[in-house]
Structures are given as structure tokens and as C-alpha cells.
Amino acid sequence: MTHPSTRTRPLTALLALTTAAFVTVLTEALPAGVLPGMSAGLGVGEAAAGQAVTIYALGTALTAIPLSAATANWSRKRLLLTGVAGFAVANTVTTLSADYPLTMVARFVAGVAAGVVWALLAGYARRLVPDEEGKAIAIVMAGIPLALSLGIPAGTFLGGLLGWRSAFGVMSAIAVALLAWIAVAVPDQAGQTTGRTPVLRTLAVPGVVPVLAVTLVFVLAHTVLYTYVATFLAGAGLGDAVDVVLLVFGVASMAGIGIVGARIDRALRTLMVASTLLVAVAAALLAVFAGHPVLVYAAVALWGLGWGGVPTLLQTAAGNAGGEAADNAQAMLVTLWNAAMAAGGVAGGLLLDAAGPASFPWPLLVLLLPVLAVVLGARRHGFPRRS
């Protein structure tokens, strides 16, 4: 029988990694919640202030792969502490800066820190609980929906109450506390000192390309709608209910990641297919029945239920497919994820100008067709029948 302390210590360490994921997502998305105040405080327009999100994603996309290669032989704990320290510094500068260029530099540094942290979280979780790798990753990835459903609304409220700088100040304090938590509770893991696969050669590992392709297209499809969900809801007559709709999405996402966490080690392929179909059904409902509030809420719940476990599924699939090159595969996944987010925001803006907000669900539905085809086709490697 396993002694309780042997279970408690990995859980405590995993929850520290969950908090790191929470900090990463919240740092990225917080400017959207405090945009008017941030714009006024920096003396720029809201469009310029909104680039705080874009430049963060750019920092991640440009540096995740080269930094992963350069730090491959670092101990994982040292690397994690460095990444979280980057958040503490970047958010502190953002809190204190009254200069727009300096703030953008700080946001780029935060994006670099995110690339470091995202590229190692899944692998770290897998090593902490090697007999239940998928469940461990699911616990860590719960930080994503927690940040979106609870962190962003809380940060927005705090920003409205005490000013946008206070929200970033709290983020700095959380990062500092997390540094202490990691130092005390997270056991170290060695870096890869020998036999490291060159980054580009990782693409030749069977299964890696299908997982990366699914990541790129699925995240692009999701981002087109999610980035402009408030605009879509306003066009559907639900402009005053954006916070409630996002809460439904967040709660459903938590349920989705719970289901995935319970079964991912035995049924990754089935769960990936089910997630894709749930999001596709949600997109179809939103496309056809946007004028019916009850069906919109039902569709958003299905969307969250399907999407909630996708980060866990893709991170796990990339790690499984990558094998000894898992860290490289994770870094590539992080790069493509952020590139897809940036592209989704741009594509959504073009779509809004060309066809209006009612058009947003259609590309989500259309793009999920090749996603489903790749998942079904990668039955030997990537998304195999047996984990």
C-alpha cells in the first residue's frame, strides 16, 4: 500500500505546476480585461494597448524552440524557477511603467518566460507521476481554464476597483510566492545531457507532425471565435451577458478537463475524437441558432466541455509521440500554439470586416474537418488506438 505522504508530495508539486500554468495564462490575457485603464495609463489608444497581448504571444512563438534547445541540459527546477522569475520581473515592470515602449518590452519578456515554462510543464508533470502521466498533465493544465474562468474576471474586477496597475502588481506577488513554493515543494529533475535529438530532426519522429498539425489548426479555429466572442454575442443580442457566457464556458471547461484527466491514460484517441466532435457540434449550433439564447448557452457549454481537455490531450500526445525528443516536441507545440493564436486574432479581424460577427462559427466548423481527419488517420502514431 502506498503511504499517504508519497501521494501528497507529488500532488503538492503538481499543484505548484498548475499555478505556474495559471500565472502564464493570466499574465497573457489580463490586458484584455483592463484594456481601457491600461490605454489611458500609458497614453495610447486601445488598439495600441491591445498589442500587449500580441507581443506576448510573439515573444513565446519566437523563443520557445531556441530556448528549449539552449537549456536542454539545465535541471528542470532551475529552468522553471527562471521562467517564473521572468514573470515576476516582467509584471513588476508593467506595474510601474508609465512608458509604452518599456511596457511592450516587459510584455515581450513575459512571453519569453511563458515559452520557457510551457515547454517544460508537461514533461515535468510526466516525470513526477510516471505511472499516471496523462492524469498528472491534466492536473497541471487545469490552470488554463481556472485562469480564464476565475482569474481574468477577478483581475478585471480588481483593475476596475483599484486600477489596472494593481492587477499586474498582484500577479507579481503571486509569481514571487510561487517561486518559494517551487523551491520548497517541487523535486528537481535532470535535464537531457546526452543523446539529445536536434530540434528539426524531431519532425521525423513518427506521430509528431500529426500532433503538431492538429495543434495548429485546432487552436487557430478556436481562437478565431474565442477572441471575438464578445462581438459575436453582441451581434446575437447577448452583449450584456458576456460575463455569464464566459463563466459557463469556464465551468464546462473544468468539467472537460476533469473527464480527460480521469481517462486520458487509457483513451487518449477516443477523447481527442470526442473533443473535436463536441466543439464541432457547438460551432454548428452557434452558426445556425445564434438568435436563440438557450441554444447559445447550450452550445457554449458543449464548446467548453470539448475544448477544456484539448491542451492536456495535445501536450500528452506530443510527449508520447516525441519519446526521447519530447521536450523538443513540446517546444514546437508551444510555438505553433502561440502562432495559431496570433493568426486567429488577425483572421478574426479580417472576417469581421468582410462578413460580420455572425460568420465567426463557420471557420471553426470548417477547420475542424481536417482536424478530425488527421486524428482518425494517425491511428498508429500521434493518436494511437492504445496509449
Side-chain angles (χ1 to χ4, degrees), residues 26 65 76 85 126 131 157 167 223 253 259 281 284 299 328 371-372 384:
L26 188 52
I65 290 176
R76 300 298 89 181
R126 290 162 66 94
D131 54 337
F157 174 78
T223 305
S253 295
I259 294 169
V281 170
N328 288 344
V371 167
L372 184 61

Side-chain angles (χ1 to χ4, degrees), residues 264-368:
I264 188 171
D265 291 309
R266 300 183 301 277
L268 186 149
R269 177 182 175 82
T270 300
L271 290 167
M272 193 68 221
V273 171
S275 294
T276 306
L277 291 175
L278 280 172
V279 177
V281 170
L285 288 173
L286 290 173
V288 179
F289 299 107
H292 299 76
V294 173
L295 291 178
V296 170
Y297 279 104
V300 169
L302 290 176
W303 181 15
L305 187 65
W307 175 258
V310 167
T312 301
L313 290 165
L314 292 175
Q315 292 263 21
T316 304
N320 290 346
E324 293 185 358
D327 287 349
N328 288 344
Q330 298 289 355
M332 289 179 172
L333 184 145
V334 169
T335 298
L336 289 178
W337 190 291
N338 283 273
M341 287 180 62
V346 173
L350 295 174
L351 189 65
L352 178 61
D353 290 339
S359 63
F360 284 128
W362 290 108
L364 176 56
L365 182 60
V366 171
L367 288 171
L368 288 179

